[in-house]
Amino acid sequence: MIRATSLTSSEQKTSGDLPELTALRVLAALCVVVSHLHAFGLVRAERMHEILDGGRPAVAFFFVLSGFIMNHVYHSLSAQDHHATKRYAMARFARLYPTLLLALCLAMPSIIYLTTTHASDRLLQFYALKNNYAWWFLLSGLAQLGGLTGWIPAAAINQPWNGAAWSLSCEFFFYAIFPFVRPALQRRSSKTLIATIIAAWLIQGLAIVLVERIAPPNRSGFLVQQFPLIHLSDFLLGICAGVLAVRIQPRQLRCLALCAFITSGLLYVGIHLAGLAVPVYYPLTPVFAAIIVMIARSSGASWLAPLRQRGLIALGHASYALYMVHVPILVGACIFEIATGLGWLWVPILMFISLCVHYWFAEPLRRWLLQRKRRC
């Protein structure tokens, strides 16, 4: 029987009291960056690229972590409280949108250069465009501004400007439903939450298999990797994990974590042996949830000290900036043939740029937007 426990002081922490999870964000973002460095031919890391599966499991990790942190920060938010919901929506907008706009601006020089020089080979290579360039750039730009690229399984919409922005389609969708979903999950028993996690995960797997079999090959990849409804299970897993983390006994959590590791491991081996076209992130999401919960519950422990280093936490805060701006920067470097021989030096360079973007652009603008909203 799963028993509820009273909240300890460590479990009543605010979002700023989980620095270890903040540090994990930069590690996940670096997985994506390294994969793209290899994809653009700036480093040779074929084996690492294969292990990281192009950085896609790292993005799924972000979705699970997002659900957990949202539950942690907005533990009392409900759609019934319209004033609080408006503040929440503005906070999310101020957090994400400035960097999204900056990334689009960074992509502008490359797009102008390629369209004016009619560099058809490069337009196809970097933006998957064969003709009607101006029209597709306009549609793609509007889709990115609206956070819609993940909903549209077309390379000509997904790839231009900033291909990495597809994940914002998922995040915008998750944030929109969070005030409705989280209170509903909170009211459920622990057993029901565990059943919900299992059911959502199985439905996600079934959806992936069906898409791979039914959808055309040039659409199935986008749907499986980027479609927000496919990734909804990741976000729900994070929310449920967050609710359970403060509700049940540590021994029971360890048991659930062990079950998650064993199940994921067996499924991963089974998928590999059967040769099924299932993305690597799918069997790993329960492991991600287990790791996040264990680290959150142990926040402040001595064995987690390496994740509390000030520099690593700063990079963790800047991880969103790193994720959003690295693709336009790398594409521009390739197109204009600037510093393409730097190799692995691109990693510290991009990390430094992300720190500048976060602390000198995104954070000041976020605070200004929120202050202006309060005055209005």
Side-chain angles (χ1 to χ4, degrees):
M1 177 180 179
I2 296 177
R3 295 179 294 170
T5 62
S6 59
L7 302 184
T8 66
S9 59
S10 64
E11 292 163 348
Q12 293 173 327
K13 298 180 180 207
T14 62
S15 59
D17 293 327
L18 296 175
E20 296 90 352
L21 293 183
T22 300
L24 286 183
R25 289 164 50 186
V26 70
L27 301 179
L30 284 175
C31 290
V32 179
V33 170
V34 170
S35 296
H36 285 152
L37 282 171
H38 171 78
F40 293 142
L42 297 174
V43 301
R44 297 185 62 181
E46 184 173 353
R47 181 58 179 164
M48 189 178 299
H49 181 76
E50 292 177 357
I51 294 173
L52 297 175
D53 192 30
R56 298 178 187 92
V59 179
F61 172 84
F62 275 125
F63 294 150
V64 178
L65 180 61
S66 178
F68 185 90
I69 293 296
M70 292 291 288
N71 173 79
H72 184 68
V73 176
Y74 298 101
H75 54 83
S76 60
L77 181 67
S78 171
Q80 305 302 319
D81 187 341
H82 300 294
H83 184 63
T85 303
K86 288 180 181 179
R87 292 202 313 270
Y88 155 79
M90 185 60 195
R92 293 295 88 200
F93 174 86
R95 171 75 175 89
L96 298 182
Y97 220 78
T99 307
L100 167 63
L101 293 178
L102 177 63
L104 293 177
C105 291
L106 291 174
M108 187 80 70
S110 300
I111 290 173
I112 293 174
Y113 175 77
L114 292 182
T115 52
T116 55
T117 58
H118 305 286
S120 56
D121 291 343
R122 290 295 183 91
L123 285 163
L124 181 61
Q125 177 186 359
F126 292 109
Y127 298 131
L129 296 179
K130 298 180 181 179
N131 47 44
N132 299 321
Y133 308 130
W135 175 248
W136 284 116
F137 276 129
L138 174 61
L139 290 179
S140 177
L142 292 174
Q144 294 221 3
L145 287 171
L148 299 173
T149 54
W151 294 96
I152 306 171
I157 296 293
N158 282 263
Q159 294 302 108
W161 298 92
N162 184 13
W166 69 266
S167 62
L168 288 186
S169 303
C170 299
E171 291 288 3
F172 289 166
F173 171 58
F174 300 157
Y175 292 162
I177 66 173
F178 177 79
F180 303 91
V181 171
R182 198 274 172 187
L185 292 173
Q186 175 65 33
R187 291 192 295 267
R188 301 297 182 265
S189 67
S190 298
K191 288 184 177 180
T192 301
L193 286 180
I194 295 172
T196 300
I197 291 173
I198 296 172
W201 190 52
L202 293 176
I203 291 172
Q204 181 188 34
L206 178 61
I208 289 172
V209 173
L210 289 176
V211 167
E212 290 285 3
R213 293 190 175 185
I214 297 174
N218 63 335
R219 296 287 182 266
S220 60
F222 283 112
L223 290 171
V224 168
Q225 302 291 354
Q226 301 183 6
F227 196 55
L229 288 178
I230 292 289
H231 284 289
L232 178 58
S233 171
D234 305 337
F235 187 69
L236 294 178
L237 177 59
I239 296 176
C240 292
V243 175
L244 289 171
V246 298
R247 187 185 283 185
I248 63 177
Q249 297 283 357
R251 180 179 59 81
Q252 295 164 332
L253 277 176
R254 288 194 293 270
C255 181
L256 288 174
L258 180 61
C259 290
F261 275 91
I262 293 174
T263 302
S264 295
L266 292 176
L267 182 61
Y268 184 87
V269 172
I271 290 172
H272 179 73
L273 293 177
L276 297 176
V278 176
V280 173
Y281 74 77
Y282 174 66
L284 293 179
T285 49
V287 171
F288 295 155
I291 291 173
I292 290 167
V293 169
M294 288 189 295
I295 290 178
R297 287 286 294 247
S298 302
S299 182
S302 58
W303 65 276
L304 289 174
L307 293 178
R308 291 194 296 273
Q309 300 303 310
R310 184 174 298 180
L312 195 57
I313 294 172
L315 287 168
H317 286 301
S319 61
Y320 171 62
L322 176 62
Y323 177 82
M324 286 300 295
V325 305
H326 80 278
V327 169
I329 290 173
L330 294 179
V331 169
C334 293
I335 289 173
F336 295 107
E337 298 182 355
I338 300 174
T340 54
L342 289 176
W344 288 103
L345 285 176
W346 270 111
V347 174
I349 289 172
L350 289 170
M351 293 170 73
F352 175 75
I353 292 173
S354 71
L355 288 170
C356 294
V357 169
H358 177 74
Y359 288 102
W360 294 350
F361 171 78
E363 270 299 289
L365 189 52
R366 181 186 69 85
R367 289 193 294 267
W368 178 80
L369 288 170
L370 294 179
Q371 290 171 359
R372 185 176 180 183
K373 176 65 178 177
R374 294 190 192 102
R375 288 195 294 266
C376 291

